[in-house]
Amino acid sequence: MIRLEFAEELMKMLQRAWTPLMAAAFAVLTGLAAQSAAAEELAKDLFGAKQLPAVAAPQSFGFYSKGCFAGGVAIPMDGPHWEVMRPSRNRRWGHPVMIGLIEKLSRDAAADGWPGLLVGDISQPRGGPMLTGHASHQIGLDADIWLTPMPDNRLSTNQREKMSATLLVDEKTHLVKEALWTPQHARLLKRAASYPEVERILVNPGIKKKLCDTVKGDRAWLRKIRPFWGHDYHFHIRIGCQPGSPGCKRQEATVRGDGCDQSLAWWFTDEPWRPAKNPDKPKARELMTMASLPRECRAVLDAPAPSSAEAATYYGDGRSIAAAAPEPAVAAAPEPAITSGAGALPASANAFAATPEIGIPLPRARPGN
Ligand SMILES: [Zn+2]
């Protein structure tokens, strides 16, 4: 009897509890579903939709081809010695050291006799995979610079969108077009390779070969010049992981030597140019979900934005950069903070640091050789 009463009581209790229990279970289930849907969402769509950077201390997460970054700053559309190309892509964002380095290269190159830089893609405001193009450029440490010198007249927005680049390499022979190649191209590449922050410069194999065949004297910098597909109208500067980015994955060091060896000869065989076996196979960046990226990229995506792109634009003259805050981590630094850009950078990336002379391409004897 007692047992029966107990059973009835239990049934009533369960009935009373049923509705809230079900509601709770339903909420948990739908929450999980929403979460997994978000995890399934393509990272390129989420990062590609961001118009402004994550306000936090500058920090790169993950690898060049699988990551994101916080505290991004934009290079101004124009400088004394540069112009940003394809502005509608909104890819003029990078780690402050990357942006400072481009600005410095533009001035050094101008002093070397290169009229100025046409700046191609750097990164999206918060990095991450892109809707189109590049596999890398995801952590604010890659930048493309055109091999076309900046014209005398200032380009209109329309010209920056439409102007076609000059291909410096013959598609069939993979050799540099002799009529277009100049010693100033070599000088520009040597200047870019001269900075300690720069770990690699990607160029078309034809350009690497041209340098291998013509650079006299100091050839140590050729080690940083790496042959790669494409890169026939622009070169690609990659700097190393920067201090304050423990989650940034370093790339392998380049092999010893100038690279003017069998590894270069391989590019002039048929093998690298064979059509892909499965050309319709989607590329890695097209499939990446948030789950494929470092965990911190979710926080980067959710972090607050500065008030405008202008507020996060880098100026080498010490003007404020809203996005580059001194706090240590993205999750711990949700508040926008103001800091001076130039002061926070290593001397070699500082716009005001002295620039050593480099002699290109004057022939001179190799020491001890
Ligand atoms: Zn590139």
Side-chain angles (χ1 to χ4, degrees):
M1 193 63 186
I2 287 169
R3 195 169 282 176
L4 187 65
E5 271 173 21
F6 176 74
E8 272 173 20
E9 202 53 43
L10 186 68
M11 281 304 289
K12 277 182 201 159
M13 212 175 76
L14 275 173
Q15 271 167 1
R16 278 198 303 272
W18 188 246
T19 312
L21 264 177
M22 276 308 288
F26 185 71
V28 166
L29 285 172
T30 49
L32 283 175
Q35 235 173 40
S36 80
E40 295 295 307
E41 219 173 331
L42 293 174
K44 65 175 177 147
D45 294 331
L46 298 169
F47 278 97
K50 290 290 176 188
Q51 297 299 306
L52 292 168
V55 173
Q59 191 169 176
S60 304
F61 300 99
F63 195 60
Y64 299 87
S65 54
K66 199 190 237 187
C68 62
F69 74 111
V73 294
I75 190 164
M77 294 296 295
D78 290 279
H81 306 296
W82 78 82
E83 293 181 286
V84 171
M85 301 300 284
R86 308 294 190 251
S88 66
R89 293 181 181 177
N90 195 28
R91 292 175 181 173
R92 59 187 177 106
W93 299 88
H95 189 287
V97 171
M98 181 80 252
I99 303 301
L101 192 102
I102 297 170
E103 196 266 337
K104 184 169 168 57
L105 175 63
S106 78
R107 284 183 305 108
D108 291 346
D112 289 343
W114 185 262
L117 306 179
L118 295 181
V119 178
D121 288 355
I122 310 172
S123 283
Q124 299 179 136
R126 303 183 188 208
M130 293 183 182
L131 292 167
T132 56
H134 322 276
S136 64
H137 291 251
Q138 293 192 26
I139 54 177
L141 308 178
D142 294 287
D144 289 343
I145 307 291
W146 286 32
L147 284 159
T148 309
M150 191 173 101
D152 292 339
N153 56 318
R154 193 172 166 277
L155 296 170
S156 68
T157 304
N158 191 46
Q159 284 172 316
R160 293 176 198 220
E161 295 294 345
K162 302 273 166 63
M163 187 179 126
S164 49
T166 312
L167 297 186
L168 276 182
V169 178
D170 185 291
E171 275 175 47
K172 288 207 181 88
T173 63
H174 307 297
L175 296 173
V176 154
K177 296 175 183 169
E178 293 297 338
L180 298 178
W181 180 259
T182 67
Q184 283 74 30
H185 286 99
R187 200 175 166 90
L188 176 64
L189 290 166
K190 180 171 183 183
R191 178 61 78 186
S194 74
Y195 305 123
E197 289 85 357
V198 173
E199 291 190 343
R200 270 166 212 242
I201 294 173
L202 307 182
V203 297
N204 187 276
I207 293 172
K208 171 81 184 189
K209 180 170 164 46
K210 186 72 186 168
L211 295 172
C212 285
D213 292 348
T214 56
V215 171
K216 305 274 190 287
D218 170 24
R219 288 170 63 92
W221 60 279
L222 291 179
R223 181 176 174 181
K224 289 188 184 177
I225 309 282
R226 314 297 301 173
F228 207 69
W229 290 274
H231 300 88
D232 44 10
Y233 74 89
H234 73 272
F235 63 104
H236 174 140
I237 301 175
R238 174 168 296 171
I239 64 171
C241 289
Q242 294 303 304
S245 295
C248 177
K249 198 171 155 223
R250 291 184 59 86
Q251 60 190 336
E252 273 178 47
T254 53
V255 289
R256 294 204 157 274
D258 59 17
C260 301
D261 48 22
Q262 318 87 292
S263 64
L264 179 61
W266 176 78
W267 289 97
F268 297 91
T269 66
D270 289 339
E271 200 182 341
W273 313 104
R274 276 191 200 123
K277 287 207 179 90
N278 188 358
D280 298 328
K281 191 172 156 235
K283 297 183 174 67
R285 71 163 165 76
E286 286 164 356
L287 302 173
M288 268 180 213
T289 61
M290 289 306 291
S292 347
L293 295 178
R295 190 172 46 82
E296 294 88 346
C297 290
R298 169 54 66 188
V300 168
L301 210 52
D302 295 342
S307 55
S308 65
E310 179 60 23
T313 296
Y314 174 94
Y315 293 96
D317 59 4
R319 280 172 60 183
S320 299
I321 300 172
E327 282 83 5
V330 62
E335 290 298 315
I338 308 294
T339 185
S340 163
L345 301 176
S348 54
N350 187 312
F352 298 97
T355 297
E357 284 299 313
I358 57 168
I360 318 175
L362 302 176
R364 57 189 157 172
R366 297 177 72 170
N369 195 339

